[in-house]
């Protein structure tokens, strides 16, 4: 998929918010929750779609090699080179490769999610803010993490940041 799609556009818009970007990086680094899956969960909530464990398990399985064999080792190497001034250009090249693979991951996630999005657009139900918050918390709670307690705390902060930004629009 070479053109942009709504998940990618939404992700870029959210990631450009520095406070949210910091929370996403904290979730990725401290509890090992994949940022792309967080963005998918937020995108689903934005479109009033409830994710299921079965859907997410399928998405994790479908993207396993791309994440585990592609993105994660490149990210690990790139981070290991942070303090190596002599490797700045190579580190930049790794970042470009990592971003390219992340885009491929998002393309796959959107392909898997698109039928759910189309169903939700036909439903035309508009949730109240409290319902949107509950849906967002529920979608985020289904994501795989290494520390449930720390992830629960980050989930709340991410919800507050995203829903606060939505309220300003």
């Amino acid at each position: 998929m070479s053109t942009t799609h709504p998940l990618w556009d939404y992700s870029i818009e959210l990631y450009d918010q520095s406070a949210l970007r910091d929370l996403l990086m904290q979730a990725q680094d401290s509890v090992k929750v994949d940022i792309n899956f967080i963005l998918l969960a937020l995108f689903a909530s934005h479109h009033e779609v409830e994710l299921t464990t079965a859907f997410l398990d399928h998405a994790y399985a479908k993207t396993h090699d791309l994440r585990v064999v592609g993105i994660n080792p490149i990210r690990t190497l790139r981070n290991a080179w942070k303090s190596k001034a002599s490797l700045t250009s190579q580190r930049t090249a790794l970042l470009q490769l990592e971003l390219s693979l992340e885009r491929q991951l998002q393309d796959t996630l959107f392909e898997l999610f698109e039928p759910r999005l189309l169903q939700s657009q036909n439903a035309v139900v508009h949730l109240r803010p409290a319902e949107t918050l509950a849906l967002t918390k529920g979608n985020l709670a289904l994501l795989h993490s290494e520390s449930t307690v720390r992830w629960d705390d980050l989930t709340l902060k991410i919800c507050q940041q995203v829903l606060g930004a939505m309220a300003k629009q």
Side-chain angles (χ1 to χ4, degrees):
M1 189 179 281
S2 61
T3 61
T4 124
H5 49 74
L7 173 59
W8 181 256
D9 296 337
Y10 181 81
S11 297
I12 296 297
E13 181 181 325
L14 285 186
Y15 203 77
D16 282 346
Q17 300 173 26
S18 63
L20 182 58
R21 180 177 47 249
D22 293 345
L23 288 171
L24 294 173
M25 293 303 294
Q26 188 178 352
Q28 177 177 274
D29 295 342
S30 68
V31 293
K32 307 298 183 225
V33 178
D34 189 302
I35 288 175
N36 291 294
F37 279 83
I38 296 172
L39 292 167
L40 174 65
L42 295 172
F43 179 75
S45 299
H46 179 75
H47 289 283
E48 301 181 351
V49 176
E50 184 176 3
L51 296 177
T52 63
T53 302
F55 171 80
L56 287 170
D57 286 347
H58 177 67
Y60 279 117
K62 192 87 168 161
T63 61
H64 178 269
D65 287 348
L66 185 56
R67 290 178 296 106
V68 175
V69 180
I71 297 168
N72 295 348
I74 291 168
R75 181 180 298 130
T76 300
L77 181 58
R78 182 179 57 79
N79 287 333
W81 288 358
K82 272 186 181 175
S83 62
K84 308 289 185 205
S86 63
L87 297 173
T88 301
S89 65
Q90 291 88 344
R91 190 169 180 277
T92 301
L94 284 176
L95 176 60
Q96 292 308 311
L97 178 57
E98 181 182 346
L99 292 173
S100 172
L101 292 172
E102 296 232 355
R103 172 60 194 262
Q104 186 178 339
L105 174 63
Q106 283 227 347
D107 291 348
T108 302
L109 291 175
F110 186 72
E111 287 172 14
L112 295 171
F113 182 76
E114 190 172 23
R116 291 170 181 271
L117 178 61
L118 294 174
Q119 286 176 340
S120 78
Q121 289 172 340
N122 292 333
V124 190
V125 174
H126 297 290
L127 301 177
R128 294 187 303 264
E131 295 168 323
T132 302
L133 175 61
L135 176 62
T136 304
K137 282 182 179 178
N139 281 347
L140 290 170
L142 294 175
L143 302 179
H144 299 179
S145 72
E146 285 188 357
S147 170
T148 305
V149 174
R150 287 170 49 208
W151 176 229
D152 289 345
D153 180 51
L154 284 170
T155 295
L156 182 59
K157 290 176 183 176
I158 290 169
C159 287
Q160 290 169 339
Q161 188 67 37
V162 171
L163 297 176
M166 285 172 52
K168 291 177 186 174
Q169 292 178 349

